[in-house]
Amino acid sequence: MAVRVDLNISLDGFATTTDQTPEKPFGDDWPRLTGAYVATRTFRERVLGDTSGSGTTGVDDRYAATYFEEIGAEVMGAGMFGLHTFPDDPDWRGWWGDEPPFRCPVFVLTHTPRESISFANGTVFHFVSASPQQALALATEAAGGKDVRVGGGATVAREFLAAGLVDRLHVAIAPILLGRGIRLWDDLRGLESGYEVTAETAESGTVHLTFSR
Amino acid sequence: MAVRVDLNISLDGFATTTDQTPEKPFGDDWPRLTGAYVATRTFRERVLGDTSGSGTTGVDDRYAATYFEEIGAEVMGAGMFGLHTFPDDPDWRGWWGDEPPFRCPVFVLTHTPRESISFANGTVFHFVSASPQQALALATEAAGGKDVRVGGGATVAREFLAAGLVDRLHVAIAPILLGRGIRLWDDLRGLESGYEVTAETAESGTVHLTFSR
C-alpha cells in the first residue's frame, strides 16, 4: 500500500491557478495546465464518459491510466472539492456530476461537518476534520490494501509531502509559464532525499517526473 | 546569428543559489545544481583543462558541447563575473583563472568603469554600462556573425528573456529542490508564446528543456 500524489504543474511550479471565479471555477489557465492529460484516451473515457476510443494514446495516456490503477481511497482538500468556491451551497456535490471518476471513498478535509454523499459508481465523499496523519489512517483503512491518493489541491499535497507521508509523487510538467497561482514546491527544500527521481518526456512536450521511494 | 541562454536550474526554478560567502563563492548548493554539467567530458576538458578524456559522454555531454559551439561573444552580469562578491578588489579577473572558457569577447554589465582584461586564449572581458539592447548590439558586432550568449546570472537572463531578446533558451533542470535562491521564471508568464518547446531527459535525471524560435 502506497500513498500517491499526481499533479499537473507548470514549468514555473504552479499547480493551481488563481484566476477562478464562480462562473469560471477553474480559470482560464486551467485548460493549458491540464491540456495534455485531458486529451488522453483514459481521461476522456474515465472522466468524461467518452467511450468512443478518442484521445491520445502515448506517454501521457500511460501515466493517465496509471493514475487510476490500484487506488482504494482518496484524500482531498476542501478547495479541490469546491467548498471554497461555493461555500454557501449546502447541496454542493462536487465538480464531477453523477459519475465522479474516483469510484472509491474520498475523504474531504474540512472543518465544517457535512453528510456523506454516495454515488452509484462507488464514489463516496466523506467530510472530515482531520490532520494529514488522521486522514491517511481513515483512507488507508477504507482502501482495503490498495493505494491511497492525496488528490490535491496544491496546498494539501504540499502539506502531505512536507510531512513525509507520500511514497510516490508524479508531476506532469506542462511546458508553459503561468507566472501566478499556488506553487507546489514552496518550502520543500531537499524533498528529493530518500526518493529516486525519474523523468520522461511525452509527445506533447509534457515532462513526467516521478519521485518514488 | 542567434541570442542564446543556457542555465542550470533546480526543479523549483532556482538558477542561482544564495548561500554564497567570499570563502564559498558558489555556496554549498552549487555543486548539486550543476553536478551533471560539471561531470561531462566537455566541461572537464573545456573548463577544467582535463584532456584525459574522463567525464560523462551521454545526453548531458551533448548539451554541454552545444553550449560552446558557435558562440562569438558573451554578455554577463556583474554578479556572474564576481564583482558583487569581491567589490573592493580592483585586480579581480573573474573566477576562471588564466584560461577562461569563453575564448571570445565578454561584455560584463556594470556601472563601474574598469579596464578591459585580455587573456591569451582569446577571452577579453569588457566592462560596459549598457541596457540589454545596447549590450547585445555591442556583442553582436563583436561576434562577427556567430551567436551571442547571455551567460547569466539568473536576474540578467530573466531581464533579457522578459525583453524578448532571446532566440534560444536551454535550461538543464536538476531533479532537486533547493527552496531558496534566485528564481529564473519569475514574471515570465506566457514566455512560451512564440517558442517551440522541447524536452529531453538525460541519464543523470537532468531534464533538458529548450525554447527555440
Side-chain angles (χ1 to χ4, degrees), chain A residues 11-12 29 32 173 175-178 180 183 185-186 188-192 197 199-201 207 209 211, chain B residues 11-12 29 32 173 175-180 183 185-186 188-192 197 199-201 207 209 211:
Chain A
L11 188 51
D12 47 353
D29 287 335
R32 303 176 60 226
I173 305 176
I176 61 172
L177 296 168
L178 291 181
R180 62 191 186 198
R183 292 183 198 278
W185 299 129
D186 272 3
L188 289 179
R189 176 179 171 82
L191 177 72
E192 70 278 5
V197 186
E200 186 176 9
T201 303
V207 176
L209 210 75
F211 290 59
Chain B
L11 187 52
D12 48 352
D29 287 335
R32 302 176 61 225
I173 305 176
I176 61 172
L177 295 168
L178 291 182
R180 62 190 187 199
R183 292 183 198 278
W185 300 128
D186 272 4
L188 290 179
R189 177 180 169 81
L191 178 72
E192 69 278 5
V197 186
E200 186 176 8
T201 303
V207 177
L209 210 75
F211 289 60

Side-chain angles (χ1 to χ4, degrees), chain A residues 88-138:
Chain A
D88 301 322
D89 179 357
D91 297 323
W92 176 251
R93 292 163 62 84
W95 308 102
W96 302 276
D98 290 333
E99 293 273 352
F102 309 100
R103 305 180 191 173
C104 67
V106 178
F107 296 87
V108 181
L109 300 169
T110 172
H111 296 298
T112 309
R114 290 201 167 210
E115 299 244 330
S116 296
I117 309 172
S118 294
F119 293 81
N121 74 356
T123 304
V124 186
F125 293 110
H126 300 291
F127 301 89
V128 296
S129 179
S131 70
Q133 289 82 356
Q134 292 168 332
L136 273 188
L138 288 168

Side-chain angles (χ1 to χ4, degrees), chain A residues 9-176:
Chain A
I9 67 173
S10 63
L11 188 51
D12 47 353
F14 295 106
T16 303
T17 58
T18 49
D19 60 341
Q20 294 94 337
T21 65
E23 293 72 37
K24 286 187 175 182
F26 299 98
D28 290 326
D29 287 335
W30 192 253
R32 303 176 60 226
L33 189 59
T34 60
Y37 172 48
V38 169
T40 61
R41 177 181 294 189
T42 296
F43 184 93
R44 299 186 69 85
E45 183 175 329
R46 177 82 183 225
V47 183
L48 303 183
D50 171 3
T51 56
S52 71
S54 67
T56 66
T57 57
V59 173
D60 289 325
D61 191 55
R62 178 154 49 76
Y63 281 91
T66 305
Y67 179 93
F68 288 105
E69 282 168 6
E70 285 299 314
I71 295 290
E74 177 144 344
V75 176
M76 69 172 64
M80 182 170 168
F81 184 75
L83 296 181
H84 296 166
T85 313
F86 302 103
D88 301 322
D89 179 357
D91 297 323
W92 176 251
R93 292 163 62 84
W95 308 102
W96 302 276
D98 290 333
E99 293 273 352
F102 309 100
R103 305 180 191 173
C104 67
V106 178
F107 296 87
V108 181
L109 300 169
T110 172
H111 296 298
T112 309
R114 290 201 167 210
E115 299 244 330
S116 296
I117 309 172
S118 294
F119 293 81
N121 74 356
T123 304
V124 186
F125 293 110
H126 300 291
F127 301 89
V128 296
S129 179
S131 70
Q133 289 82 356
Q134 292 168 332
L136 273 188
L138 288 168
T140 300
E141 177 153 355
K146 289 187 171 182
D147 292 348
V148 172
R149 178 190 317 291
V150 178
T155 308
V156 170
R158 195 169 63 214
E159 192 180 356
F160 280 73
L161 288 165
L165 298 172
V166 178
D167 300 305
R168 194 169 92 205
L169 166 66
H170 160 238
V171 288
I173 305 176
I176 61 172

Side-chain angles (χ1 to χ4, degrees), chain B:
Chain B
M1 174 279 182
V3 176
R4 292 157 50 182
V5 170
D6 294 81
L7 291 172
N8 296 283
I9 67 174
S10 63
L11 187 52
D12 48 352
F14 295 106
T16 303
T17 57
T18 48
D19 60 339
Q20 294 95 336
T21 63
E23 293 72 37
K24 286 187 174 182
F26 298 99
D28 290 327
D29 287 335
W30 191 253
R32 302 176 61 225
L33 189 59
T34 61
Y37 172 48
V38 169
T40 62
R41 177 182 293 189
T42 295
F43 184 93
R44 299 185 68 86
E45 183 174 329
R46 178 80 181 227
V47 182
L48 302 182
D50 171 3
T51 56
S52 71
S54 67
T56 66
T57 57
V59 172
D60 289 325
D61 191 56
R62 178 154 48 76
Y63 281 91
T66 304
Y67 180 94
F68 288 105
E69 281 168 7
E70 284 299 314
I71 295 289
E74 177 145 342
V75 176
M76 71 172 63
M80 182 170 167
F81 184 75
L83 297 180
H84 297 166
T85 313
F86 302 103
D88 302 320
D89 179 356
D91 298 323
W92 176 252
R93 292 163 60 84
W95 308 101
W96 303 275
D98 290 334
E99 294 272 351
F102 309 100
R103 305 181 191 173
C104 67
V106 178
F107 295 87
V108 180
L109 300 169
T110 172
H111 296 298
T112 309
R114 290 201 168 212
E115 300 244 329
S116 296
I117 309 173
S118 296
F119 293 81
N121 73 357
T123 303
V124 186
F125 293 110
H126 300 292
F127 300 88
V128 297
S129 179
S131 71
Q133 288 82 354
Q134 292 169 332
L136 273 188
L138 288 167
T140 300
E141 175 153 356
K146 288 188 172 181
D147 292 348
V148 172
R149 177 188 319 289
V150 178
T155 308
V156 170
R158 195 169 63 214
E159 192 180 358
F160 280 74
L161 287 164
L165 299 172
V166 177
D167 300 305
R168 195 169 92 206
L169 166 65
H170 160 239
V171 287
I173 305 176
I176 61 172
L177 295 168
L178 291 182
R180 62 190 187 199
I182 297 176
R183 292 183 198 278
L184 173 61
W185 300 128
D186 272 4
D187 301 318
L188 290 179
R189 177 180 169 81
L191 178 72
E192 69 278 5
S193 306
Y195 289 95
E196 183 189 9
V197 186
T198 58
E200 186 176 8
T201 303
E203 298 83 352
S204 63
T206 301
V207 177
H208 293 271
L209 210 75
T210 305
F211 289 60
S212 312
R213 68 176 174 200

